[in-house]
Amino acid sequence: MYLQGNLQAVFDALYHMGVIDPVLDMDWSQVMDELPYHYEQFSQVVAVANRNLSVDELVRELNQFDEMSLSYLAIEVAKELADFHSRETLH
């Protein structure tokens, strides 16, 4: 499942929720190794992120998810934003 929503809005919502900073301190390889055990929750949180909601609406919707699901979403947003910015830098 891929992020197709407004990445900046999702990032902003996660930042306002305090999810981003703790994710930056995680060992992403270890966390991603555990993703198959949390895939159902991850797919649900990505579905919300893909709905193109405003930041306030995203915060309301994302508050229903557990910390791990939000962490996976934050990692995915970070990877997508990094990929996007690396493509813009190259072209």
Side-chain angles (χ1 to χ4, degrees), residues 10-73:
V10 177
F11 178 88
D12 291 346
L14 292 170
Y15 181 80
H16 289 299
M17 295 170 70
V19 176
I20 298 297
D21 286 336
V23 166
L24 295 176
D25 293 331
M26 290 180 175
D27 177 353
W28 289 12
S29 61
Q30 178 184 358
V31 173
M32 294 308 287
D33 285 345
E34 298 171 10
L35 178 59
Y37 304 108
H38 304 277
Y39 192 77
E40 185 176 330
Q41 297 92 336
F42 174 66
S43 62
Q44 291 172 1
V45 78
V46 169
V48 169
N50 285 343
R51 291 179 48 206
N52 287 312
L53 302 171
S54 71
V55 172
D56 291 336
E57 292 169 321
L58 279 167
V59 169
R60 270 194 305 279
E61 294 285 327
L62 293 175
N63 268 322
Q64 67 183 323
F65 292 96
D66 64 9
E67 183 179 332
M68 185 53 70
S69 298
L70 295 174
S71 295
Y72 283 119
L73 179 60

